[in-house]
């Protein structure tokens, strides 16, 4: 639609009605556009491919992501986006962006998939893409990354309730997932490798030094994992935002140096993390500790309040 198109001003008026601070209901929006709710919804949906309520909810979530990324309070962002509780906001935010608000920081993506290219643009504007990108489903990579870090955190929490003997017992003597990592037949060794692998690969991607292994008690692993998980989620989101999956790094940490595709690194980590998490589950069950299935479907249902579907 060109700037000269007479319908452009009408679309702007409709968007103004949707995003007015006082437009908390469909009736409010329609009233500000001097239209009935039925005709207002039909007109805006036809022009944008998105219902008024859905468009408002998404743009306000994008604004909230921008606010949180700049250090704003999650609680203030939640209420500013029209949510009655932080819990409801967190569920909606995670479904929209594929990450929880706590994993949002400087540089995090703040635009959600949209059928019309209409997005929040700071501080109080809208950005309309000339050729909006189409998004036809969930971001499976983001789903896997978030499931991996949250599932690992849950397993570490379960391991914290074990005795020292159970935690370090060799349930699978000599078990080796990757030859260069050595045996990891105990819960302690397997959880340590889950955390340390991300620390090492992030150092490669970020150009840092080879990190020291760090402590492997459950408490130490919980702290290490919390730090590395935030960086890991932010890094994968940035790679996706830049469309850099095919970029290549030369990893000088390796001897001799090797070249790796960024997409290959993420796939490698997720593949062996999934194997290790299941091995930890087997060992936890041997200790009499229930660890669930580690199923992304169950994880999604829990996050979505018992409903299936996209995150």
């Amino acid at each position: 639609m060109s700037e000269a198109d007479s319908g452009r001003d009408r679309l702007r008026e409709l968007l103004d009605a949707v995003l007015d601070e006082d437009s908390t209901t469909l009736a409010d929006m329609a009233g500000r556009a001097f239209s009935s709710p039925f005709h207002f919804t039909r007109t805006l949906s036809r022009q944008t491919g998105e219902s008024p309520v859905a468009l408002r909810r998404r743009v306000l979530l994008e604004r909230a992501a921008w606010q949180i990324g700049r250090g704003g309070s999650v609680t203030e962002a939640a209420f500013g986006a029209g949510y009655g509780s932080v819990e409801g906001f967190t569920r909606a935010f995670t479904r929209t962006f594929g990450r929880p608000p706590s994993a949002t920081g400087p540089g995090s993506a703040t635009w959600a998939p949209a059928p019309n290219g209409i997005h929040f643009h700071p501080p109080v504007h809208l950005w309309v893409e000339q050729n909006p990108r189409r998004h036809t489903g969930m971001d499976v990579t983001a789903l896997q990354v978030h499931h991996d870090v949250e599932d690992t955190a849950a397993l570490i929490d379960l391991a914290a309730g074990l005795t020292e003997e159970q935690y370090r017992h060799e349930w699978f003597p000599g078990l080796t997932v990757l030859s260069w990592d050595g045996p990891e037949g105990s819960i302690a060794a397997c959880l340590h490798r889950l955390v340390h692998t991300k620390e090492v690969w992030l150092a490669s991607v970020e150009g840092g030094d080879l990190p020291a292994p760090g402590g492997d008690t459950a408490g130490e692993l919980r702290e290490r994992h919390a730090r590395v998980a935030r960086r890991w989620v932010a890094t994968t989101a940035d790679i996706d935002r830049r469309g850099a999956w095919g970029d290549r790094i030369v990893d000088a940490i390796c001897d001799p140096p090797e070249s790796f595709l960024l997409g290959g690194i993420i796939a490698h980590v997720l593949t062996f993390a999934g194997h290790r998490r299941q091995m930890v589950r087997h060992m936890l069950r041997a200790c009499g500790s229930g660890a669930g299935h580690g199923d992304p479907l169950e994880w999604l249902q829990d996050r979505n309040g018992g409903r299936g579907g996209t995150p």
Side-chain angles (χ1 to χ4, degrees):
M1 184 180 297
S2 68
E3 290 292 336
D5 192 321
S6 60
R8 183 67 185 220
D9 287 341
R10 181 54 178 162
L11 176 59
R12 188 199 65 200
E13 292 171 0
L14 296 176
L15 292 174
D16 288 345
V18 168
L19 299 172
D20 189 283
E21 287 293 336
D22 296 324
S23 291
T24 58
T25 68
L26 178 59
D28 292 335
M29 301 176 201
R32 284 180 169 76
F34 304 102
S35 177
S36 71
F38 172 78
H39 286 98
F40 180 75
T41 299
R42 186 175 65 174
T43 302
L44 190 75
S45 298
R46 184 173 62 245
Q47 294 197 42
T48 68
E50 200 169 16
S51 74
V53 173
L55 191 153
R56 176 180 173 82
R57 183 187 303 119
R58 177 179 58 77
V59 171
L60 291 183
L61 280 172
E62 291 180 341
R63 184 181 69 177
W66 174 75
Q67 292 169 335
I68 295 169
R70 289 169 56 88
S73 160
V74 172
T75 300
E76 291 181 1
F79 291 117
Y83 288 83
S85 70
V86 174
E87 291 76 13
F89 169 76
T90 298
R91 288 194 296 270
F93 190 100
T94 304
R95 286 195 300 269
T96 300
F97 293 102
R99 66 173 188 274
S102 58
T104 299
S108 295
T110 60
W111 280 5
N116 44 45
I118 299 171
H119 296 282
F120 170 75
H121 184 59
V124 292
H125 307 296
L126 285 179
W127 183 287
V128 182
E129 297 177 279
Q130 182 177 5
N131 297 301
R133 292 174 289 277
R134 299 295 178 182
H135 190 278
T136 58
M138 72 169 65
D139 185 334
V140 177
T141 301
L143 183 153
Q144 291 179 309
V145 167
H146 285 277
H147 175 247
D148 172 46
V149 298
E150 292 195 17
D151 194 41
T152 300
L155 293 173
I156 293 172
D157 287 342
L158 285 173
L162 302 177
T163 66
E164 183 71 5
E165 181 181 0
Q166 290 173 321
Y167 184 59
R168 299 194 181 277
H169 179 74
E170 290 287 326
W171 296 99
F172 297 98
L175 171 69
T176 301
V177 178
L178 291 169
S179 58
W180 53 84
D181 286 334
E184 44 192 292
S186 70
I187 294 172
C190 213
L191 288 176
H192 161 71
R193 187 53 58 188
L194 271 167
V195 175
H196 191 53
T197 295
K198 292 183 178 68
E199 293 172 333
V200 170
W201 279 112
L202 277 173
S204 297
V205 173
E206 296 170 350
D209 296 329
L210 180 66
D216 69 347
T217 67
E220 289 170 320
L221 285 176
R222 183 185 285 119
E223 293 180 5
R224 288 172 55 196
H225 179 261
R227 291 194 297 269
V228 78
R230 287 192 294 269
R231 291 166 53 212
W232 181 252
V233 168
T235 296
T236 55
D238 181 63
I239 293 171
D240 184 57
R241 179 182 60 80
R242 295 186 290 111
W245 296 111
D247 287 6
R248 188 178 294 273
I249 63 169
V250 177
D251 186 358
I253 289 178
C254 296
D255 187 18
E258 293 188 56
S259 174
F260 301 103
L261 289 173
L262 293 181
I265 291 173
I266 306 304
H268 167 87
V269 173
L270 288 173
T271 295
F272 292 103
H275 176 73
R276 287 177 168 121
R277 294 197 319 269
Q278 293 308 311
M279 293 307 304
V280 171
R281 280 189 160 78
H282 290 307
M283 292 186 271
L284 285 170
R285 292 185 188 114
C287 298
S289 176
H293 299 109
D295 188 343
L297 285 175
E298 295 177 352
W299 173 74
L300 280 174
Q301 288 174 332
D302 290 341
R303 294 180 71 89
N304 294 341
R307 303 185 307 277
T310 58

